[in-house]
Amino acid sequence: MPFTNYEETVAYGAMIAYVTRTRYMPPWRADQDYGHFNTPLSLSEGQIDAIQRWMQAGFPPGAGKADLSEAPPVALEPLEWDLELTMDTAFEQYDIYFDQFQVFRLPTRLKTDRWVETVEFVPGDASIVRYVSVSLSQGKTAARLDKWDPRYGYTSFGGPGFMPETEGWFTWSIGDENRMTDGSRRFLPAGSELIMYIHYGPTGVKKLDRSTIRLKFAESESELPVTFTISLINPTLLPGKTLEIPAGELTTLQAGVKIPRRVKLYSIEPQGLLLTRSWEVFVRLPGGEVKPLLKISDYDMHWRRSYRLPQPLELPAGSEIQARAVYDNRPENPFLPVSPPIKAHWGSRLYEEQFLLRLRLEWPDHSRGRWLSGHPNQVEAYRQVKLARPVYGKFTIRVVSLQAGTSYRDYHFSPARVGANDVEVNLSGLPYGNFMLSLVDRNGRILDSELFVYWPPEMTKSLLDE
């Protein structure tokens, strides 16, 4: 709740002193001495001491009288938005003290691919919206889930409830600026739906939310760098390529992925559920130097966020990103979802678990739409190879495993015409894991490339699948 005057604040004075001293509030979980990020919400030791002294003195009022109830909002430069999408119906947050996790479909109805340079999220009720993750989908799974839940949207605890084609396209958390622009652009395919997963914090009174997303398109010939988001740290890197947390045990999972090309890292978002107790993320550079990125000693999924770096971090080819997470499936875990504890597997339900590290990257050849377009799936990937002028000779679409560093498939073809050329790339039979798909010309030059994850079938099921 917002505190707008002395009377409102002093009524919660003892609680404020406690939650700030224990660093439960403000909700910034990253360790301050391990990595540095934009918009840190943590208080300094001096600020915490000042609150403690205020409590010990009996919560005296300050000099003068301040009333913040009519405080003007932060002024943003007016923009002429190209697309504005608002929830069709106001969603009701219960008047009981429970969190809710709800997913909403926002169809874009775009006829052509677009680039987006600015995204603005406007919460309908900022007092209850804690976290938002927007993914992109062109399939029908979200519609099936929406039909299954009689309320507006559909309930899903740990994410969108299925594996969308583009995950984590945009995220917002408490403390983030409403308008996100960082000098890059992100791809929005024609016909996409925005799949908006919202975590609503608990409230003692009934409240309504009808949030809005606004998009500003980039010029078609924009020189802004292209960024995209992908979970390169995932269960396919674990033994057995699956996630299992034994009952009654403290379990540590660690995995790493070597980046084959030079990249720039914009943000990091670790994702676990109720058993997850800590995260540590670091990068090992080709020369052996270890660079700390993120450490969360007291992870709490109720305060998820994407941690954005002040400046994009350039990582040379061959850098290895490592992540370590600890899971507590013992009876003494206060967040234990099932008592007595049971073995936890991958999933987004209350009693399941996740091991994901979502990275937002600037990829050197990732043009998304200039040469390659389309989305990989579990069976095949149709790729449109777009040629601006006649090109003679053969091209190759190459599929390379990031884990093994070897090429698995080569597809040779000769373009039939200027413009879009459809090429079928069969992915069936690939080992599960991270891959790079590249378009290579006859001289061996990479014209375009992209990363994708080939997920095990059990990780692609929706909430409706058994």
Side-chain angles (χ1 to χ4, degrees):
M1 64 173 290
F3 297 114
T4 62
N5 55 49
Y6 173 76
E7 287 74 20
E8 290 177 353
T9 306
V10 74
Y12 290 88
M15 184 187 73
I16 292 171
Y18 173 76
V19 298
T20 54
R21 177 174 56 83
T22 58
R23 292 195 178 275
Y24 185 74
M25 287 286 168
W28 182 262
R29 317 305 288 183
D31 291 11
Q32 296 186 65
D33 57 352
Y34 195 104
H36 302 283
F37 304 95
N38 279 345
T39 62
L41 300 178
S42 56
L43 298 177
S44 68
E45 291 295 338
Q47 291 170 325
I48 293 174
D49 288 344
I51 295 173
Q52 297 303 307
R53 292 195 302 272
W54 179 57
M55 177 185 68
Q56 293 162 5
F59 307 108
K65 185 174 179 61
D67 185 352
L68 303 179
S69 60
E70 300 299 327
V74 177
L76 294 174
E77 179 184 350
L79 273 183
E80 188 173 326
W81 299 101
D82 295 299
L83 185 61
E84 184 169 322
L85 302 172
T86 300
M87 292 164 54
D88 291 340
T89 305
F91 179 75
E92 180 182 301
Q93 169 64 313
Y94 299 135
D95 56 352
I96 53 179
Y97 216 68
F98 285 154
D99 297 78
Q100 285 196 89
F101 304 84
Q102 197 77 359
V103 183
F104 307 97
R105 299 164 51 223
L106 301 179
T108 63
R109 298 183 174 87
L110 292 174
K111 303 299 183 184
T112 58
D113 297 342
R114 303 305 299 256
W115 293 98
V116 176
E117 65 179 18
T118 305
V119 182
E120 185 170 278
F121 174 72
V122 184
D125 189 334
S127 69
I128 56 174
V129 178
R130 278 192 181 179
Y131 170 81
V132 176
S133 179
V134 177
S135 300
L136 305 181
S137 180
Q138 295 169 294
K140 298 180 179 180
T141 304
R144 290 173 54 224
L145 289 165
D146 203 358
K147 186 177 180 180
W148 158 74
D149 192 324
R151 297 186 301 167
Y152 176 51
Y154 62 91
T155 297
S156 180
F157 178 67
F162 70 104
M163 192 66 72
E165 292 89 354
T166 302
E167 54 178 339
W169 186 77
F170 166 81
T171 60
W172 178 91
S173 306
I174 288 178
D176 286 343
E177 296 178 358
N178 290 72
R179 184 178 297 177
M180 299 290 183
T181 181
D182 57 9
S184 72
R185 56 191 170 125
R186 60 193 84 194
F187 188 60
L188 180 59
S192 294
E193 282 189 329
L194 303 189
I195 309 300
M196 186 165 66
Y197 166 85
I198 299 184
H199 172 196
Y200 291 106
T203 175
V205 296
K206 187 180 298 183
K207 294 193 174 185
L208 300 175
D209 174 66
R210 193 163 179 241
S211 294
T212 296
I213 290 182
R214 298 168 178 156
L215 306 179
K216 179 67 178 176
F217 297 150
E219 299 294 333
S220 57
E221 300 301 321
S222 172
E223 294 300 320
L224 292 175
V226 175
T227 56
F228 66 104
T229 308
I230 186 169
S231 296
L232 285 182
I233 300 291
N234 58 66
T236 69
L237 305 179
L238 299 173
K241 297 186 180 293
T242 189
L243 174 68
E244 288 188 356
I245 310 297
E249 297 183 17
L250 196 67
T251 300
T252 299
L253 299 180
Q254 182 166 346
V257 60
K258 189 169 288 189
I259 309 297
R261 310 293 306 280
R262 173 187 55 82
V263 300
K264 289 184 179 179
L265 176 64
Y266 281 64
S267 66
I268 307 167
E269 182 179 357
Q271 184 170 318
L273 300 182
L274 292 173
L275 300 179
T276 312
R277 303 311 308 136
S278 67
W279 278 92
E280 184 177 4
V281 184
F282 58 92
V283 59
R284 183 175 288 109
L285 301 177
E289 178 188 355
V290 174
K291 192 174 187 66
L293 294 178
L294 173 68
K295 187 176 184 180
I296 304 176
S297 299
D298 185 20
Y299 180 83
D300 185 346
M301 70 150 291
H302 296 93
W303 298 107
R304 277 176 56 184
R305 70 181 312 109
S306 179
Y307 293 89
R308 296 176 174 86
L309 279 67
Q311 299 292 332
L313 175 64
E314 187 161 333
L315 299 176
S319 297
E320 185 177 22
I321 296 176
Q322 286 274 345
R324 181 186 301 121
V326 176
Y327 299 83
D328 190 353
N329 201 6
R330 300 174 299 178
E332 54 265 37
N333 179 4
F335 298 104
L336 193 71
V338 180
S339 184
I342 61 173
K343 181 187 288 187
H345 298 273
W346 166 267
S348 57
R349 296 178 176 88
L350 186 73
Y351 54 87
E352 294 173 321
E353 256 305 334
Q354 297 178 358
F355 175 67
L356 293 174
L357 183 70
R358 193 168 290 126
L359 308 171
R360 186 155 171 247
L361 301 171
E362 179 185 325
W363 187 253
D365 309 307
H366 194 83
S367 69
R368 286 311 292 260
R370 188 177 66 188
W371 289 100
L372 291 172
S373 62
H375 289 287
N377 58 39
Q378 292 303 103
V379 179
E380 59 199 3
Y382 285 95
R383 280 295 181 274
Q384 281 194 336
V385 180
K386 300 180 178 180
L387 304 180
R389 59 185 184 278
V391 178
Y392 302 99
K394 288 187 175 181
F395 285 74
T396 300
I397 289 183
R398 179 163 296 151
V399 181
V400 177
S401 166
L402 266 61
Q403 285 97 311
T406 56
S407 176
Y408 270 89
R409 305 270 172 86
D410 276 2
Y411 296 86
H412 304 289
F413 71 99
S414 297
R417 59 184 180 276
V418 175
N421 291 260
D422 291 336
V423 181
E424 180 181 344
V425 180
N426 186 1
L427 301 180
S428 61
L430 287 181
Y432 304 124
N434 301 321
F435 289 87
M436 179 174 70
L437 187 147
S438 301
L439 175 67
V440 183
D441 69 10
R442 59 182 177 179
N443 297 316
R445 183 169 63 101
I446 295 178
L447 302 176
D448 200 355
S449 65
E450 61 187 25
L451 301 178
F452 69 93
V453 183
Y454 191 58
W455 301 98
E458 63 269 18
M459 296 184 65
T460 63
K461 293 179 179 178
S462 78
L463 290 173
L464 296 179
D465 298 324
E466 293 296 331

